[in-house]
Amino acid sequence: MRLRNKPWAKDKIEQNPQYVVQNPEQYRGKWHEVFGNNNPIHIEVGTGKGNFITEMAKAHPEINYFGVELYDSVIVSALDRLIEANLPNLKLLHINAADLAKYFDKNDISRVYLNFSDPWPKTRHEKRRLTYKDFLKLYEDIMVDGGEIHFKTDNQSLFEYSLMSFSEYGLLLKFISLDLHKSDFEGNIMTEYEQKFSEKGNRIYRCEVKYQNEHRDSSC
């Protein structure tokens, strides 16, 4: 995807610290101070324009949410949504997902959402896939015991790869749909990509997986 340059984006991000957390490393292990409560925290890695995470925060005020996005020109669209919605249980993080452990400590996160991640189809780019084993370890290191990953994509090859990766890592498969929009799954909130792809007739794949405590114990 080619990103449109928005030279004003950096300034806008810095001018809205109440929505985009500045210097997030200082809150590692104490994010309850930012939200003012001890509610569970869910994060979306690669939040894009923010429709999914904003609607999730509206629907579940009992959960705190972070939208994680690296690109200035993308996160400002999510910022516009958040400014309009003004949700106390949603913040944005302008960071690289590969650095999550710098900003979150063990037990900080209960759930990770991966929605329509870049498939990185070439074998030499496997390590960049957000469901690669190194990323699964990264998520585990910041999650509570029994934390979950919820994953959606329209890319069949990435979905098949991810199911294998989850299985090899020892994650427990809780839910799987090979055609989400034709299933009886309730409460689905679409991303911008999901809306676009589904309108083209693309099948949407979804799964939920859970970390098992014994995996962590055996790897210590």
Side-chain angles (χ1 to χ4, degrees):
M1 178 182 67
R2 182 168 182 163
L3 300 178
R4 198 185 86 183
N5 183 38
K6 299 177 181 177
W8 45 266
K10 184 177 180 181
D11 288 340
K12 184 167 185 176
I13 293 167
E14 293 176 350
Q15 290 164 6
N16 288 277
Q18 70 274 40
Y19 300 116
V20 185
V21 180
Q22 308 296 308
N23 303 312
E25 62 276 1
Q26 66 182 307
Y27 299 109
R28 186 175 184 268
K30 48 186 179 181
W31 284 106
H32 62 280
E33 296 179 4
V34 173
F35 290 104
N37 58 56
N38 290 310
N39 292 342
I41 297 175
H42 297 179
I43 64 173
E44 182 186 19
V45 178
T47 204
K49 295 180 179 179
N51 184 72
F52 174 84
I53 203 71
T54 301
E55 294 304 316
M56 287 293 288
K58 289 179 182 177
H60 301 283
E62 75 283 3
I63 305 292
N64 295 324
Y65 292 91
F66 281 112
V68 175
E69 180 57 54
L70 174 62
Y71 299 106
D72 293 7
S73 57
V74 178
I75 199 172
V76 290
S77 295
L79 175 56
D80 286 339
R81 288 184 186 275
L82 182 49
I83 291 172
E84 181 179 354
N86 193 26
L87 298 166
N89 63 325
L90 173 59
K91 304 291 182 183
L92 300 175
L93 291 176
H94 183 220
I95 62 173
N96 190 327
D99 296 327
L100 284 172
K102 294 181 181 179
Y103 310 105
F104 295 105
D105 201 358
K106 182 72 183 95
N107 296 320
D108 275 349
I109 304 301
S110 297
R111 183 177 298 170
V112 170
Y113 294 99
L114 303 175
N115 293 318
F116 299 87
S117 309
D118 192 325
W120 293 107
K122 295 181 179 179
T123 302
R124 69 174 183 271
H125 293 151
E126 179 187 9
K127 293 182 178 180
R128 299 184 184 183
R129 298 171 193 162
L130 293 180
T131 53
Y132 180 67
K133 63 182 180 180
D134 288 358
F135 277 104
L136 299 183
K137 177 66 166 62
L138 177 60
Y139 309 143
E140 183 179 27
D141 287 344
I142 65 175
M143 278 212 209
V144 300
D145 289 344
E148 298 182 359
I149 298 172
H150 290 194
F151 175 62
K152 281 197 291 188
T153 183
D154 72 316
N155 188 297
Q156 182 179 349
S157 295
L158 178 63
F159 193 68
E160 292 171 352
Y161 167 87
S162 299
L163 290 178
M164 183 65 70
S165 183
F166 295 149
S167 176
E168 290 177 349
Y169 195 82
L171 289 161
L172 176 67
L173 181 63
K174 290 184 58 185
F175 172 89
I176 184 170
S177 176
L178 301 180
D179 197 345
L180 179 62
H181 293 181
K182 291 185 178 180
S183 74
D184 58 0
F185 181 80
E186 297 181 358
N188 181 53
I189 291 176
M190 289 199 288
T191 73
E192 294 85 0
Y193 276 125
E194 185 173 356
Q195 179 88 36
K196 176 182 176 182
F197 294 147
S198 62
E199 287 176 355
K200 291 182 177 180
N202 293 22
R203 182 181 295 189
I204 306 301
Y205 303 89
R206 185 180 185 277
C207 70
E208 299 175 8
V209 293
K210 181 178 181 179
Y211 286 93
Q212 301 183 81
N213 296 349
E214 58 265 27
H215 177 271
R216 179 180 294 112
D217 293 341
S218 66
S219 64
C220 292

